[in-house]
Amino acid sequence: MSNTENNIAINEIKSIRCQECDHLVALPLALKRGEDAYCPRCQAKLASYRDWSLTRLLILSITMLILASIAFTQPLIKIHLLGTMITTNVLDGIRMMSEQGAPLTATMVFFCAVAAPLSLPIAILYLHLGSRLRLNLRPVLLMLGKLKEWVMLDVYLIGLGVATIKLGDYATVYIGNGLIAFVSLMLLSLLMLININMDQLWQQFYPQKEIQRSPATCHACHYHFKKMPLTHCPRCKSCYTPRQPMSLQKTWAALIAAIILLLPANLLPISIFYLNGQRTEDTIFSGVIALVNSGNTPIAIIVFIASIFVPFFKIIIMLGLLLSIHFNSNIHPLFRMKLYRFVSWIGRWSMLDLFVIALMISLINRDQLMTFTMGPAAFYFGTAVILTILAVEWLDSRLLWDTYATRRKRRSGNTSPNTPQA
């Protein structure tokens, strides 16, 4: 190959550091249609070809806002109970939770089921208008990159199904006018989360020169810039440190707090049901047993997995990962990375129980004849779920690879970039 061809090849390649294992990888400056680039060491997705323009995202955002006005205010389901037709929507359940003296628990449900989903289209609208008005877009771009874990419309829809089956024992259930809009909103939010390309948006609004050799990486906006004694990222202006500061300390704090909160969450009643003056209290586990006894075994399995198995399983895995870092475990980091990604994916599904409670509260409230109220365990459970999500987010996964990288470096002095898998 001639010197000219060598220069062209070098100019078409950039070096980036993997966000999950800190491996230096050589990538082409632009991927072709349908291509994805993966880290050869930890299999993390480094880059993806996404050609959705801001105009297309804007059209999708306007559609989502129109659907949201229907999905959040119109009835999702209707029930015929004690001679009365009762309807409920997303906001009704949140309002009822707050009126029963649990504003913090209601805020958790509101954020995951309403605020986070609405933030997606509103952020795109702000980017479109803000770019023309020359506003500061950096905070919105940073927020947009963190929303994926908190948009839980799909979890809420499963919760609606569970609540419908539970209510079938006491009333006749009908589909409400807002259900189609809610399902459509959920599908469009998933479509946006899949196709939005944060790197493309950052480069569109704050273009920066690509660094081809030994880059430093911003943890906030994932920009790769030249290693210099910088204290702030040149693109998003966030404070720059080589690693996420206080990662282990914050993760341990969130995890220990979640463990403590899960004790009252599972021992105290999470729901209280009054029928003809008779009071019935259910913990999370006794609620599962009640579903089995009533013949709803598939629903009982879903609730058991989401509300009991997932929180405890997630804590066990996170404890294992933290201890493996502290004791420099010999377990291959790729296996630990798979566990880390798994708990990151399943954690949000534990909010299912709170969504079911919000729906039940708004539908069953017939004074002395039949009343459904929230138990004290709901707040502890919701807080524990949020803390476990934060624990995963705060853990710097590159710590899992540090000992492995040190051993590899001692065996071989080769530090050249590798070609990613596409």
Side-chain angles (χ1 to χ4, degrees):
M1 184 181 290
S2 66
N3 290 334
T4 303
E5 291 175 333
N6 278 330
N7 291 333
I8 294 174
I10 291 174
N11 290 332
E12 291 179 350
I13 293 177
K14 63 180 179 181
S15 296
I16 69 170
R17 291 202 175 273
C18 174
Q19 287 290 304
E20 297 191 15
C21 71
D22 212 28
H23 189 50
L24 191 62
V25 183
L27 281 180
L29 287 178
L31 296 177
K32 297 179 181 179
R33 183 180 296 273
E35 284 187 339
D36 295 322
Y38 294 87
C39 174
R41 184 163 76 166
C42 73
Q43 306 303 315
K45 183 178 285 189
L46 300 175
S48 180
Y49 181 88
R50 295 285 185 271
D51 60 349
W52 278 41
S53 65
L54 185 62
T55 302
R56 182 180 293 185
L57 293 174
L58 180 64
I59 295 172
L60 188 62
S61 298
I62 295 172
T63 307
M64 289 176 64
L65 289 175
I66 295 172
L67 289 172
S69 65
I70 303 172
F72 293 150
T73 59
Q74 294 300 307
L76 296 177
I77 58 175
K78 306 175 182 178
I79 66 170
H80 190 262
L81 177 65
L82 302 176
T84 304
M85 186 66 73
I86 309 169
T87 64
T88 188
N89 56 49
V90 178
L91 297 178
D92 282 342
I94 297 169
R95 177 179 56 81
M96 291 291 292
M97 291 181 82
S98 181
E99 289 177 355
Q100 288 191 5
L104 293 178
T105 310
T107 301
M108 298 177 200
V109 176
F110 176 80
F111 176 74
C112 297
V114 179
L118 283 179
S119 297
L120 274 175
I122 291 174
I124 297 299
L125 285 173
Y126 181 88
L127 293 178
H128 179 76
L129 297 175
S131 61
R132 297 189 175 191
L133 299 175
R134 297 185 179 181
L135 301 177
N136 182 12
L137 307 179
R138 292 183 177 91
V140 175
L141 287 168
L142 291 172
M143 179 271 294
L144 198 55
K146 298 290 186 181
L147 274 179
K148 186 176 181 180
E149 298 296 326
W150 303 100
V151 178
M152 301 187 187
L153 293 178
D154 48 349
V155 183
Y156 193 96
L157 187 63
I158 300 298
L160 180 63
V162 173
T164 300
I165 293 175
K166 281 188 173 184
L167 290 166
D169 295 334
Y170 309 100
T172 306
V173 183
Y174 304 94
I175 294 176
N177 300 328
L179 185 59
I180 296 176
F182 187 89
V183 173
S184 301
L185 178 63
M186 180 203 70
L187 294 175
L188 290 182
S189 67
L190 292 176
L191 186 65
M192 179 176 284
L193 288 172
I194 290 171
N195 288 282
I196 196 168
N197 189 330
M198 292 308 303
D199 290 335
Q200 178 179 314
L201 290 177
W202 274 109
Q203 194 63 20
Q204 178 178 345
F205 296 115
Y206 297 100
Q208 299 285 339
K209 182 181 178 182
E210 295 285 356
I211 303 301
Q212 296 183 349
R213 292 181 178 274
S214 301
T217 304
C218 172
H219 310 304
C221 70
H222 300 176
Y223 175 54
H224 307 279
F225 54 93
K226 187 176 181 180
K227 285 184 177 178
M228 295 173 64
L230 297 175
T231 58
H232 291 80
C233 170
R235 183 164 73 175
C236 71
K237 307 304 179 183
S238 299
C239 293
Y240 168 72
T241 54
R243 290 296 174 90
Q244 295 182 27
M246 307 292 288
S247 172
L248 287 176
Q249 292 87 337
K250 291 189 294 185
T251 304
W252 270 114
L255 200 60
I256 292 172
I259 293 172
I260 295 172
L261 290 172
L262 278 179
L263 294 177
N266 283 273
L267 296 176
L268 296 175
I270 195 168
S271 63
I272 303 170
F273 184 56
Y274 293 91
L275 180 59
N276 294 325
Q278 184 178 358
R279 176 188 174 107
T280 303
E281 295 183 351
D282 273 322
T283 62
I284 297 175
F285 185 74
S286 67
V288 172
I289 299 300
L291 284 170
V292 174
N293 293 335
S294 63
N296 295 317
T297 303
I299 299 301
I301 293 173
I302 293 174
V303 175
F304 174 81
I305 292 174
S307 301
I308 298 177
F309 176 76
V310 167
F312 284 101
F313 184 67
K314 187 174 182 178
I315 283 176
I316 290 172
I317 291 181
M318 288 299 295
L319 284 174
L321 293 177
L322 288 171
L323 292 174
S324 72
I325 293 172
H326 281 284
F327 293 103
N328 296 326
S329 172
N330 290 325
I331 300 175
H332 198 283
L334 182 58
F335 174 72
R336 289 183 282 169
M337 280 299 303
K338 291 179 179 179
L339 291 176
Y340 173 79
R341 291 172 186 147
F342 180 68
V343 296
S344 177
W345 176 75
I346 65 171
R348 57 201 294 273
W349 289 93
S350 295
M351 289 295 291
L352 177 71
D353 238 2
L354 288 189
F355 295 155
V356 173
I357 290 172
L359 289 163
M360 297 285 285
I361 286 175
S362 60
L363 286 167
I364 304 181
N365 191 5
R366 300 291 93 192
D367 298 327
Q368 298 299 321
L369 293 177
M370 185 179 292
T371 305
F372 185 93
T373 61
M374 181 174 52
F379 169 74
Y380 299 112
F381 181 77
T383 306
V385 171
I386 290 176
L387 285 172
T388 55
I389 295 175
L390 291 175
V392 176
E393 186 175 327
W394 286 338
L395 179 61
D396 192 339
S397 62
R398 291 170 298 180
L399 296 171
L400 299 170
W401 292 87
D402 282 350
T403 306
Y404 175 80
T406 302
R407 289 198 301 264
R408 293 275 297 181
K409 190 175 289 187
R410 288 174 181 172
R411 293 176 186 173
S412 173
N414 183 18
T415 58
S416 60
N418 294 304
T419 304
Q421 300 175 1

